[in-house]
């Protein structure tokens, strides 16, 4: 699975968009980009994933560059409850690393009032 | 629909004691996983079960055993607990519908080994 690189921490004002970057320059053609978050003391929560196209769901949007070497998770209107550690993960779905998520250090997002 | 449940929520053990962490899911998922998370670190995969009747080692399997009891339940056993196994343990499941790789996590079991 691709190694991902994320900033250690980011701040965001409540109500503003939070844009969390992720570099995955070694990602292969059949690897998905997954985003999870972990609110303090809770189990990780799935947010969104994508392969090539941009994706949007009720929680967030995922923008993947055309060369697939990086992506950005967008929380359009951040709230205090979005304060969490955000993990960007490359996953070779269905391959030999079937389902085995590799969690790095992630980005600590702090949303301020 | 409870999702993924784990018992117990908290446990304190003495070195050398044994215990089993229980996990159950009600989403009819094929795959289940056990992770551990040490303070300030990301999750690390201990064992996983791609389908009922199969189990495989993850990144940090030493000191643990698992049992996929049926499709719903996946237990993690510590035969002789060590202080290095003090951690938060998360169970997860995946494998239903379009997003078969999306994992859903339980609330965790906090284990302290003295």
């Amino acid at each position: 699975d691709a190694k991902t690189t994320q900033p250690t921490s980011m701040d965001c004002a409540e109500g503003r968009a939070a844009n969390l970057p992720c570099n995955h320059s070694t990602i292969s053609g059949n690897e998905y980009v997954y985003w999870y978050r972990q609110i303090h003391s809770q189990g990780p929560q799935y947010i969104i994933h994508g392969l090539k196209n941009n994706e949007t769901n009720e929680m967030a949007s995922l923008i993947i560059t055309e060369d697939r070497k990086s992506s950005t998770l967008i929380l359009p209107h951040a709230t205090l409850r979005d304060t969490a550690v955000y993990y960007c993960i490359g996953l070779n779905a269905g391959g030999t690393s079937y389902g085995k998520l590799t969690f790095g250090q992630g980005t600590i997002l702090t949303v301020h009032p | 629909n409870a999702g993924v449940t784990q018992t117990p929520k908290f446990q304190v053990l003495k070195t050398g004691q044994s215990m089993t962490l229980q996990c159950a899911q009600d989403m009819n998922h094929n795959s289940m996983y056990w992770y551990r998370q040490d303070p300030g670190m990301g999750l690390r995969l201990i064992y996983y079960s791609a389908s009922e009747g199969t189990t495989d080692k993850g990144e940090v399997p030493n000191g643990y055993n698992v049992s996929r009891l049926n499709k719903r339940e996946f237990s993690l056993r510590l035969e002789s607990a060590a202080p290095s196994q003090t951690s938060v343990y998360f169970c997860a499941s995946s494998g239903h519908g379009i997003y078969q790789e999306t994992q859903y996590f339980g609330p965790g079991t906090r284990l302290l080994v003295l």
Side-chain angles (χ1 to χ4, degrees):
Chain A
D1 296 328
K3 176 178 167 54
T4 61
T5 305
Q6 301 176 250
T8 301
S9 64
M10 296 183 65
D11 290 337
C12 178
E14 190 176 20
R16 306 296 292 268
N19 299 293
L20 290 86
C22 178
N23 287 321
H24 33 77
S25 58
T26 62
I27 198 168
S28 64
N30 58 352
E31 280 187 283
Y32 287 78
V33 178
Y34 272 76
W35 283 85
Y36 284 77
R37 73 179 182 183
Q38 188 174 22
I39 297 170
H40 181 62
S41 298
Q42 299 181 21
Q45 177 189 25
Y46 165 78
I47 301 173
I48 198 168
H49 75 285
L51 184 63
K52 296 179 182 178
N53 300 321
N54 298 337
E55 303 287 344
T56 296
N57 63 20
E58 65 278 5
M59 288 184 68
S61 294
L62 175 60
I63 308 299
I64 302 174
T65 58
E66 192 169 342
D67 62 9
R68 299 205 335 116
K69 292 184 185 301
S70 66
S71 61
T72 301
L73 177 74
I74 301 172
L75 307 179
H77 304 288
T79 70
L80 298 178
R81 286 180 294 183
D82 291 322
T83 293
V85 180
Y86 287 77
Y87 297 99
C88 169
I89 301 168
L91 180 65
N92 187 358
T96 55
S97 58
Y98 175 86
K100 291 183 284 185
L101 298 174
T102 301
F103 288 81
Q105 294 299 305
T107 296
I108 302 170
L109 174 68
T110 303
V111 181
H112 297 286
Chain B
N1 189 337
V4 179
T5 57
Q6 294 182 235
T7 56
K9 288 185 171 56
F10 304 95
Q11 185 71 49
V12 179
L13 291 178
K14 294 181 180 178
T15 297
Q17 288 185 317
S18 63
M19 79 162 294
T20 300
L21 282 67
Q22 306 286 354
C23 174
Q25 52 91 9
D26 62 2
M27 296 175 282
N28 199 34
H29 284 170
N30 295 320
S31 303
M32 298 185 73
Y33 314 82
W34 276 105
Y35 293 86
R36 63 176 287 175
Q37 184 173 35
D38 299 326
M41 297 185 66
L43 280 74
R44 293 184 292 171
L45 183 67
I46 305 172
Y47 270 93
Y48 69 102
S49 171
S51 62
E52 187 178 356
T54 68
T55 60
D56 285 286
K57 296 178 180 179
E59 182 185 355
V60 288
N62 291 343
Y64 305 95
N65 286 302
V66 291
S67 295
R68 184 73 183 268
L69 303 171
N70 47 56
K71 191 170 185 178
R72 289 188 63 249
E73 299 171 290
F74 188 38
S75 63
L76 178 72
R77 183 161 178 84
L78 287 70
E79 290 291 351
S80 179
S84 60
Q85 294 178 303
T86 292
S87 191
V88 182
Y89 292 84
F90 291 101
C91 177
S93 69
S94 71
H96 181 71
I98 298 174
Y99 302 116
Q100 293 194 18
E101 308 294 351
T102 300
Q103 294 187 21
Y104 297 87
F105 287 79
T109 293
R110 284 150 184 79
L111 176 65
L112 173 62
V113 182
L114 301 175

